[in-house]
Amino acid sequence: MLEFGGKTAHDTHQEAPRNTGRAVKRGLLGRCPNCAEGKLFRSYLKPVDACPACGEEMAHHRADDFPAYLAIFIVGHIVVAGFMATDTWLVLESWQHLMIWIPITVILTLAMLPSIKGAVIGLQWALRMHGFGGESEEPMLAAPAHEDAR
């Protein structure tokens, strides 16, 4: 019987669980979620194909837009709270608010993106998602039905 994730109910091979918190923390720090020795990124947001220290494959991750959504969510809360707090005790013109909050928003977002993307890759690695568990991500097709209409 096929279960969610492409595994069958009759599989007796159980892999050791991976520590999710440790993998996410290592990703936040820009390190390999497996060994914490190798760098996770070769440039600003481009992950390495494989860890230079342990050889763990990273090319098949699928972080997609999730890090950007998380960055928008976190920065939005920080900026809105800061704006509201500032607006209660300091009277500023609209252009002054724009001069303060737009640069803070851009800088915070750009500063957080690599760490958040590393955390998402670490989470995917820990949960064995998108090829990190060793199985193929290709959809499994059912065998064609045989017609015995004779």
Side-chain angles (χ1 to χ4, degrees):
M1 170 184 244
L2 186 64
E3 292 180 359
F4 181 74
K7 296 181 182 179
T8 61
H10 303 294
D11 285 345
T12 58
H13 181 269
Q14 292 289 333
E15 296 179 4
R18 295 175 176 170
N19 187 323
T20 305
R22 183 172 39 201
V24 170
K25 183 179 176 185
R26 289 174 176 176
L28 273 170
L29 298 174
R31 305 316 248 158
C32 171
N34 185 35
C35 69
E37 296 296 322
K39 288 187 176 183
L40 187 57
F41 296 103
R42 64 174 170 229
S43 63
Y44 177 62
L45 287 176
K46 186 72 174 171
V48 295
D49 291 332
C51 175
C54 69
E56 179 75 30
E57 290 288 323
M58 297 292 165
H60 48 265
H61 81 87
R62 288 192 183 164
D64 297 334
D65 292 335
F66 190 50
Y69 293 138
L70 288 176
I72 290 168
F73 182 78
I74 294 168
V75 171
H77 279 79
I78 292 170
V79 169
V80 168
F83 170 77
M84 292 175 69
T86 303
D87 202 36
T88 60
W89 56 271
L90 188 62
V91 178
L92 295 174
E93 296 291 326
S94 294
W95 69 269
Q96 292 170 318
H97 278 293
L98 290 173
M99 295 301 292
I100 294 170
W101 297 111
I102 288 177
I104 288 175
T105 302
V106 171
I107 291 168
L108 277 176
T109 303
L110 293 176
M112 285 184 177
L113 267 175
S115 295
I116 293 174
K117 185 170 183 174
V120 169
I121 293 171
L123 179 67
Q124 290 177 355
W125 177 85
L127 298 178
R128 290 180 165 78
M129 297 171 64
H130 307 301
F132 283 116
E135 66 273 350
S136 174
E137 282 293 306
E138 295 298 320
M140 297 184 70
L141 300 175
H146 295 292
E147 291 185 30
D148 292 327
R150 292 186 196 196

